[in-house]
Amino acid sequence: MPSILPLCTLTPPSASRLWSSHPHPTLPLIATASSDKTVRLYSLASLDLESTITGGHKRSIRSCAWKPSSGVKSGESVLATGSFDASCGVWRRWEQGTGIGKLAKGLEKGKGTEWEGLGAEGEPEEDERDFTRGLAGGAEEEDEDEDEWRFAVILDGHDSEIKSLAFSPTAPLLATCSRDKSVWIWEELEDDNFETVAVLQEHDGDVKCVAWSPVEELLVSGSYDNAIRVWREDVDDWACCGLLEGHSGTVWWVEFEGADRFGKVGAGASDSLSAEQQILLEQRKAAGPRIISCSDDLTIRIWRRVPKEIKEQPTGQGKMPSIWKNRDFEEEWVQECVLPKAHERAVYAVSWSRKTGRVVSTGSDGKVVVYEERWKGGRNGEGDSAMADASAVSGRVEGRKDEATGSSTEWMVVAEVENAHDVFEVNHVVWAPRADKGKIGEDEEVIVTTGDDGEVKVWLLNDD
Amino acid sequence: MDTDNKDNPNPTILNASDLPTRQRDAHAAKRPSLFDALTQDAYPNYATTDLSSPEASDDSDSESDPREEIDEQEIYDLISTISDPEHPTSLASLAVVNLPDIFITRPASSTSRLSTVTVLLTPTTAHCSLGTVIGLAVRVRLEQALPPRFRIDVQLKEGTHTTADAVNKQLADKERVAAAMENGTLVGVIRNMLATCE
């Protein structure tokens, strides 16, 4: 019976509320957004504070997002910060150990003509703001300089607090969302130029969260208006292509299933599957990654897309009438299931593991809960007794049939812990690759939570 | 203030001596740090409102034993003296805050340590535009005064306001409340309302 065990609290903690944490795509690093207007970056290897980003925002930082290409390979990490001051900051840092890093750094310092468009006078704008608190400077301090976060650009546009933001893994796009009910999409051009390509205003309330699909240019957003919307480009313009309704409270977090996960259930061993199970997996692969959402209404829901059948071209004029165009653009999403109820108060965040497909959730009640999807009938290779134990302890097994096909899988609570941050609310939870010295397996993961107590806690899911 | 611009220029005002209260000991001293915290720069700082620090300990000695009752009367006493934003009177005198509309739910199980305080407010008129501000002030007061094991739900009482649902949803949204408390103007209004609290 799996259990959630505390590994440690990252030190030193913050003195103020931590809203969220965001693991670096490749390095053992996690960025935490703090209401003290800074970003605290902790190392998941040494489990302590590695660096801080300060000075860019006038109010709480609510959320951060890493550019997916960040890391040693590209030579640079790029972090975007979303703040209650309605702006989004973009920060860069050279990552050590690469020739690319040093080379590009040298180019920048030389202010060569390759770096055009940096500022009105052709000077790099970084020089005019000292965000390194005087540590950066002339050539003699070049080495220390390399570790520092550099402010790149501020993106203004939203009318009120930014709640969340995300970089697309498949295109040079950044999405931001705000209490002003809109979602903005920015395209990253060269040299820290971000161009607004869309301002999407279909939600009736604050937009709390945005997330990109891992396999296509599809964006999902969750809102104070209890709805979830999906967006994509219709020829030239971005527009809403789907509306997912069902929650009866604010949607706090939305996320897509991992690219390596959709089409799999549990450990993913597919040899012992029945024909019916194989068909379901194929359907899922065809439909694409599912969406998961959590809400004020205490539920966590999973939504799946209903793929369109291939339409035949209308004969005759050879030109598609616009009504067909619209129908092709819109997507149909249905609620697949509601996860077993485990929270007593608002669920603020869920995280869907890219490695195992397990889901972890947290919220105002201070609980951290892990769920797993299994085939009904215990064919996951773990035996019926394990499932019976799990149901006996958790007391909750649900496999709701919703629209379309009856489901042959079900979600179960596999572990939970209460009072994760003592009596404080836990604002966010996320899976991250394990990197500390206790790590055993290559794909081992930890759970990271951030709370109102200013602490970042790391947990292990013990599979025994 | 010009009475013509107020929502309710002639509210019914109750006599303070008619209001339910508990005799308070003299040592329930005023804590200046409470109001200092209501600035744009200093968001409620939970790490320092440690139970062991003298400044943060509760008004009366109810926190000497962490499990000892904070009851509805205690909650009432904390919020009854909040000033109305429009009239120089307390929310209790205006019957916005009423003892029978305060509920405390104890921890649901032996492992849970969370209690919930629910306060239902009755705005002076059904169209009162200051419902959100009043609700916010009550919420902030309780967040500052109660230990973090209390979850706080402040709502407009059902049937008392035309947009009660919309106001209640805002008051229940932690992110909105947090952002509101970073708004200098609003913080100023709230600070004035809480200045009359003991």
Side-chain angles (χ1 to χ4, degrees):
Chain A
M1 187 56 201
S3 53
I4 299 173
L5 302 173
L7 176 61
C8 71
T9 301
L10 300 184
T11 54
S14 167
S16 23
R17 163 184 283 161
L18 286 179
W19 281 111
S20 58
S21 66
H22 309 266
H24 191 285
T26 53
L27 298 173
L29 192 60
I30 192 157
T32 59
S34 173
S35 64
D36 69 3
K37 311 171 207 161
T38 70
V39 176
R40 299 165 71 83
L41 294 112
Y42 289 92
S43 162
L44 288 173
S46 53
L47 303 174
D48 57 8
L49 188 65
E50 188 249 24
S51 56
T52 320
I53 294 177
T54 59
H57 288 293
K58 301 186 189 71
R59 295 200 181 167
S60 294
I61 296 185
R62 177 63 181 86
S63 189
C64 306
W66 293 99
K67 199 162 154 201
S69 61
S70 295
V72 171
K73 212 164 148 200
S74 69
E76 195 181 43
S77 287
V78 181
L79 182 72
T81 52
S83 168
F84 278 177
D85 68 8
S87 72
C88 161
V90 180
W91 309 79
R92 298 179 180 275
R93 182 175 77 175
W94 301 119
E95 294 304 341
Q96 286 177 323
T98 64
I100 300 168
K102 283 180 156 37
L103 178 67
K105 195 84 188 81
L107 276 178
E108 190 185 275
K109 278 211 172 280
K111 300 175 197 160
T113 52
E114 303 96 292
W115 297 82
E116 282 177 12
L118 286 170
E121 290 88 34
E123 302 274 36
E125 291 197 16
E126 286 100 299
D127 280 7
E128 290 166 26
R129 297 173 219 248
D130 186 7
F131 286 102
T132 57
R133 285 163 277 139
L135 289 177
E140 61 274 8
E141 289 173 345
E142 195 169 335
D143 286 337
E144 286 146 45
D145 219 2
E146 280 191 41
D147 297 347
E148 295 292 339
W149 285 98
R150 298 168 350 258
F151 171 79
V153 66
I154 275 271
L155 304 179
D156 285 315
H158 280 292
D159 290 329
S160 55
E161 303 91 56
I162 290 186
K163 307 292 190 181
S164 181
L165 67 181
F167 277 100
S168 163
T170 55
L173 301 172
L174 172 68
T176 57
C177 65
S178 159
R179 177 165 66 88
D180 66 10
K181 307 180 197 168
S182 71
V183 174
W184 286 49
I185 299 184
W186 313 73
E187 185 174 348
E188 188 182 359
L189 308 172
E190 289 206 16
D191 305 332
D192 296 332
N193 284 326
F194 282 80
E195 186 183 83
T196 308
V197 298
V199 174
L200 306 166
Q201 292 171 309
E202 304 271 352
H203 277 296
D204 293 321
D206 315 5
V207 187
K208 297 292 198 186
C209 47
V210 279
W212 290 96
S213 166
V215 298
E216 54 189 315
E217 271 166 53
L218 185 70
L219 183 70
V220 64
S221 62
S223 168
Y224 183 87
D225 68 5
N226 307 349
I228 297 164
R229 286 179 180 270
V230 272
W231 318 78
R232 63 185 171 92
E233 223 171 344
D234 178 11
V235 190
D236 285 330
D237 294 313
W238 280 82
C240 179
C241 59
L243 173 62
L244 287 59
E245 291 179 299
H247 278 298
S248 54
T250 296
V251 180
W252 284 106
W253 192 264
V254 284
E255 203 171 90
F256 274 96
E257 197 168 9
D260 295 326
R261 285 297 317 172
F262 71 99
K264 289 188 186 147
V265 169
S270 48
D271 17 307
S272 52
L273 298 177
S274 70
E276 185 195 83
Q277 290 174 333
Q278 303 260 22
I279 289 173
L280 176 69
L281 293 188
E282 248 135 74
Q283 284 175 341
R284 285 193 178 170
K285 274 229 102 88
R290 295 170 289 173
I291 288 173
I292 193 168
S293 60
C294 66
S295 160
D296 242 18
D297 68 5
L298 315 187
T299 66
I300 298 167
R301 301 180 193 225
I302 291 183
W303 314 76
R304 71 157 185 276
R305 179 163 56 188
V306 179
K308 285 191 254 296
E309 287 143 31
I310 312 213
K311 284 194 185 34
E312 295 196 5
Q313 288 278 355
T315 56
Q317 277 91 16
K319 188 174 153 192
M320 283 245 270
S322 60
I323 187 164
W324 283 101
K325 229 187 207 174
N326 285 342
R327 286 187 61 190
D328 274 351
F329 172 70
E330 278 167 22
E331 299 189 354
E332 192 190 347
W333 284 81
V334 296
Q335 180 177 297
E336 179 174 274
C337 67
V338 181
L339 263 55
K341 181 170 179 295
H343 286 287
E344 285 137 27
R345 292 184 61 87
V347 189
Y348 289 140
V350 280
S351 178
W352 208 341
S353 166
R354 269 89 190 93
K355 301 232 166 89
T356 63
R358 283 177 169 146
V359 168
V360 62
S361 68
T362 195
S364 165
D365 61 7
K367 285 183 173 182
V368 175
V369 186
V370 177
Y371 317 74
E372 191 172 81
E373 188 179 22
R374 298 183 183 177
W375 294 109
K376 281 186 187 160
R379 272 180 234 149
N380 229 25
E382 288 156 31
D384 284 339
S385 56
M387 264 186 54
D389 284 341
S391 353
V393 172
S394 70
R396 295 171 290 249
V397 174
E398 283 179 26
R400 297 265 170 275
K401 292 181 173 39
D402 285 286
E403 285 95 331
T405 62
S407 179
S408 44
T409 65
E410 61 195 351
W411 284 86
M412 312 182 52
V413 175
V414 297
E416 67 180 70
V417 68
E418 277 191 271
N419 307 310
H421 282 246
D422 195 38
V423 291
F424 295 91
E425 293 200 350
V426 186
N427 296 317
H428 185 83
V429 66
V430 68
W431 294 100
R434 186 167 186 188
D436 60 279
K437 58 184 191 287
K439 166 179 167 174
I440 305 166
E442 219 11 77
D443 281 342
E444 209 177 331
E445 286 189 306
V446 292
I447 292 168
V448 182
T449 54
T450 49
D452 276 351
D453 53 359
E455 297 196 340
V456 188
K457 292 193 181 224
V458 183
W459 309 80
L460 299 173
L461 180 67
N462 195 335
D463 256 318
D464 294 334
Chain B
M1 275 196 276
D2 185 3
T3 50
D4 293 339
N5 290 338
K6 292 185 190 174
D7 265 355
N8 184 0
N10 296 308
T12 309
I13 298 180
L14 303 175
N15 209 325
S17 55
D18 293 337
L19 300 172
T21 187
R22 166 177 296 148
Q23 284 285 25
R24 304 271 233 99
D25 293 337
H27 76 257
K30 187 179 173 104
R31 288 171 293 142
S33 60
L34 189 64
F35 312 116
D36 293 342
L38 282 182
T39 63
Q40 194 165 348
D41 292 324
Y43 188 77
N45 189 335
Y46 286 117
T48 64
T49 52
D50 185 30
L51 289 180
S52 58
S53 95
E55 274 191 1
S57 64
D58 217 53
D59 271 339
S60 44
D61 14 75
S62 62
E63 275 307 287
S64 49
D65 170 6
R67 279 296 206 181
E68 188 162 329
E69 310 288 292
I70 288 180
D71 63 355
E72 285 80 347
Q73 180 66 60
E74 179 98 31
I75 305 291
Y76 180 84
D77 286 337
L78 284 171
I79 59 181
S80 56
T81 47
I82 296 175
S83 296
D84 182 87
E86 277 188 326
H87 313 93
T89 358
S90 73
L91 293 184
S93 297
L94 291 167
V96 173
V97 162
N98 300 294
L99 184 57
D101 293 331
I102 296 175
F103 310 95
I104 296 182
T105 342
R106 302 281 163 210
S109 64
S110 56
T111 44
S112 168
R113 295 152 59 190
L114 306 176
S115 298
T116 307
V117 173
T118 305
V119 176
L120 302 179
L121 301 175
T122 307
T124 51
T125 68
H127 307 284
C128 175
S129 58
L130 294 164
T132 325
V133 174
I134 292 172
L136 190 57
V138 170
R139 204 189 148 111
V140 168
R141 169 65 171 162
L142 292 176
E143 270 180 13
Q144 297 264 324
L146 294 176
R149 64 186 168 85
F150 281 92
R151 294 290 180 262
I152 297 159
D153 287 330
V154 177
Q155 294 177 34
L156 299 188
K157 196 166 175 183
E158 203 179 318
T160 61
H161 198 275
T162 49
T163 65
D165 287 345
V167 173
N168 291 343
K169 189 164 177 158
Q170 285 187 65
L171 293 175
D173 186 317
K174 147 186 215 175
E175 204 176 39
R176 280 240 188 161
V177 170
M181 293 319 292
E182 291 186 5
N183 172 322
T185 317
L186 194 46
V187 167
V189 172
I190 306 264
R191 190 203 298 255
N192 287 338
M193 291 171 71
L194 299 193
T196 45
C197 290
E198 287 159 27

